[in-house]
Amino acid sequence: MESITVIGGGLAGCEAAWQIARQGVGVRLLEMKPEKFSPAHKNRGLAELVCSNSLKAARTESAAGLLKEEMRRLGSLLMDCAGKCRVPAGGALAVDRDEFSRLATEAIENEPLIELCRQEAESLPEGVAVIASGPLTSDGLAAGIERLCGGRLSFFDAAAPIVTAESIDMSRCFAASRYGRGDSDYINCPINKEEYESFMGELLKAERAPLHGCDTASPKVYEGCMPIEVLASRGLDAARFGPMKPVGLVDPNTGHRPWAVVQLRTENREKTLYNLVGFQTNLKFGEQKRVFGMIPGLENAEFMRYGVMHRNTFLDSPRLLNVDFSMRERPELFFAGQMTGVEGYMESAASGMLAGLNAVRRLRGQDSLVMPDTTMMGALSRYISGYEGKDFQPMGANFGILPPLGTHIRDKRDRYSELAQRALRDLERSVICAL
């Protein structure tokens, strides 16, 4: 029986392998863990969530929610896993990351058409294949990709710290979700103006860890995963209008909105671990403990994982890839995941779904499945393959990349709702019926 090689057992690779198997085609899935780990990966399992445990907004009327609903309707493995290990996070879909990985690994291992090979891929495979090795692709394979593509686009990415629940001083904090959405799923550390300004001052003075593989003193950092200290350098109020924004929250101890707030989101169902939302960082570990200990409620926080920063590599996809995620120069070779320029967990998984489905169609000599540009998956596909600007940057799901509606709807919520409804109608009409 003919088979397709998939390289990488992250979110994109798992979805690609799963979709290929669902079409009745064999898969050889290569994953280098636990033989070898990247600087950011720690879990032996597949589909490891490295940075946040949030898969973003759940509401279909949001861009991230619409993307997930499209994936759900197309039979996403990871959306099924996420539904089984969801943890409270207000209006967001957040998961127990260890359970999420376990469920995905178990599904892949138990699928008869998927052969999971725990070995490093050191070169590009022959025949129809999906490369979903991620932005931290190992050196040998990365060199092969670079030769094939004639260059690459590099970033630095960062992860946030995780602390134990029992070490948080709840006398200084309060539990609530922004705007009262969902239950009181977040722990909020309120900060007054004086505390905020002192915190910002120490944050800016704190010593940063050296960046390995960095050729410049000021590496290019992707906006969607901006280290908190880099954000702070943009101005005193930058963080207060970013991850520390107090909007939609009222401190029950004062009856007023705080000047700023740090939100903590649960990492697991047991609620024993919490991550600092939006606090990706490259500070030295000792500096993280010192500076983040200035946050009310975290004075004696026990850190289970400090924030880290690492290199990410992205293709110049508009020059290299077709809308179906295949290479223009080698159409039997597909790419998927963050290395294509989609940003976010589910965006990466969605690209894996499309790459996997189209790899099967290429193998069978069929035309590619091209999603309607009115869908979020279709709009992201067109963005990475057809961006015409000079400075290609990764893009996550957002309504700005969808074609406008034929009629003007002034209210933003109503407009987003109509865009979502149009996307799902077009998905049902032109894609699901064809599969």
Side-chain angles (χ1 to χ4, degrees):
M1 182 179 69
E2 287 187 296
S3 67
I4 294 173
T5 299
V6 176
I7 297 180
L11 278 72
C14 285
E15 280 290 6
W18 188 257
Q19 295 302 320
I20 293 167
R22 288 181 73 235
Q23 298 298 311
V25 175
V27 184
R28 187 167 181 259
L29 174 60
L30 275 62
E31 167 54 48
M32 68 180 188
K33 296 188 306 181
E35 177 184 296
K36 183 178 180 179
F37 285 85
S38 79
H41 292 84
K42 308 297 181 187
N43 192 324
R44 293 169 58 93
L46 306 177
E48 180 180 357
L49 302 180
V50 174
C51 295
S52 170
N53 68 322
S54 173
L55 307 182
K56 300 181 183 176
R59 296 178 297 111
T60 305
E61 296 76 18
S62 69
L66 171 60
L67 175 67
K68 289 193 283 290
E69 181 59 27
E70 291 175 4
M71 293 174 62
R72 187 181 291 110
R73 295 190 184 196
L74 289 175
S76 164
L77 165 67
L78 297 181
M79 284 306 301
D80 181 61
C81 293
K84 294 175 180 176
C85 61
R86 185 171 186 171
V87 299
L93 172 59
V95 298
D96 180 320
R97 71 176 76 212
D98 291 334
E99 182 68 3
F100 180 79
S101 176
R102 187 192 69 78
L103 290 169
T105 304
E106 185 178 83
I108 293 294
E109 289 179 338
N110 291 336
E111 170 50 58
L113 287 175
I114 299 177
E115 177 191 4
L116 177 59
C117 304
R118 296 284 192 165
Q119 65 186 68
E120 180 181 0
E122 297 182 345
S123 60
L124 293 167
E126 298 294 327
V128 179
V130 178
I131 310 301
S133 50
L136 288 169
T137 296
S138 59
D139 292 343
L141 182 60
I145 294 172
E146 184 175 12
R147 287 192 298 271
L148 179 67
C149 300
R152 62 190 180 190
L153 178 65
S154 295
F155 283 65
F156 278 77
D157 201 359
I162 295 174
V163 300
T164 62
E166 63 182 6
S167 68
I168 301 168
D169 182 359
M170 289 304 297
S171 69
R172 306 288 308 274
C173 309
F174 64 95
S177 289
R178 207 179 295 278
Y179 300 109
R181 290 175 179 164
D183 296 324
S184 300
D185 297 333
Y186 292 80
I187 293 176
N188 300 276
C189 305
I191 303 174
N192 62 35
K193 184 177 180 181
E194 181 181 356
E195 290 168 335
Y196 176 81
E197 292 179 352
S198 296
F199 175 72
M200 286 293 109
E202 291 303 312
L203 185 60
L204 290 171
K205 292 190 296 184
E207 190 174 359
R208 303 181 189 184
L211 293 173
H212 300 290
C214 177
D215 297 325
T216 64
S218 299
K220 194 172 190 179
V221 182
Y222 173 52
E223 294 285 334
C225 210
M226 179 69 62
I228 188 66
E229 62 272 14
V230 175
L231 180 62
S233 70
R234 296 184 170 184
L236 180 61
D237 288 324
R240 201 166 69 86
F241 286 94
M244 298 179 72
K245 65 178 181 289
V247 178
L249 294 167
V250 175
D251 184 349
N253 295 317
T254 65
H256 300 290
R257 186 174 76 181
W259 182 254
V261 69
V262 174
Q263 287 200 302
L264 310 180
R265 180 176 54 229
T266 185
E267 277 283 318
N268 53 13
R269 284 177 171 171
E270 296 77 18
K271 298 185 179 182
T272 58
L273 297 173
Y274 281 80
N275 66 68
L276 280 64
V277 178
F279 268 60
Q280 300 87 357
T281 183
N282 188 48
L283 297 183
K284 287 188 171 181
F285 291 173
E287 292 288 75
Q288 290 184 44
K289 186 173 182 64
R290 179 182 70 83
V291 178
F292 297 156
M294 297 175 66
I295 298 170
L298 301 187
E299 293 87 350
N300 299 303
E302 180 184 12
F303 288 82
M304 291 292 99
R305 184 191 75 187
Y306 286 104
V308 293
M309 194 169 179
H310 48 82
R311 188 193 67 185
N312 277 356
T313 303
F314 297 84
L315 304 177
D316 184 6
S317 294
R319 182 175 61 85
L320 298 168
L321 301 184
N322 295 308
V323 71
D324 63 357
F325 290 91
S326 66
M327 280 205 73
R328 294 178 184 177
E329 299 299 322
R330 263 187 71 177
E332 80 281 4
L333 193 61
F334 294 79
F335 282 85
Q338 285 191 48
M339 68 190 323
T340 67
V342 295
E343 190 280 319
Y345 289 141
M346 288 295 99
E347 289 85 344
S348 295
S351 72
M353 294 182 72
L354 294 177
L357 288 168
N358 281 315
V360 171
R361 298 175 82 87
R362 185 63 42 80
L363 185 71
R364 292 172 172 170
Q366 301 172 333
D367 292 337
S368 292
L369 174 68
V370 178
M371 299 284 284
D373 59 4
T374 52
T375 63
M376 195 59 68
M377 292 174 75
L380 285 168
S381 302
R382 282 168 175 77
Y383 173 80
I384 65 99
S385 61
Y387 178 77
E388 297 178 350
K390 294 182 180 180
D391 188 17
F392 175 63
Q393 301 284 327
M395 180 70 74
N398 68 90
F399 283 119
I401 60 175
L402 296 183
L405 296 165
T407 56
H408 176 68
I409 301 177
R410 184 173 182 179
D411 183 82
K412 185 170 69 174
R413 290 188 179 183
D414 291 342
R415 184 167 68 253
Y416 288 174
S417 178
E418 184 57 37
L419 286 168
Q421 292 176 39
R422 181 186 68 176
L424 296 176
R425 285 196 303 268
D426 290 350
L427 180 73
E428 293 284 348
R429 199 163 39 226
S430 61
V431 179
I432 293 179
C433 292
L435 288 175

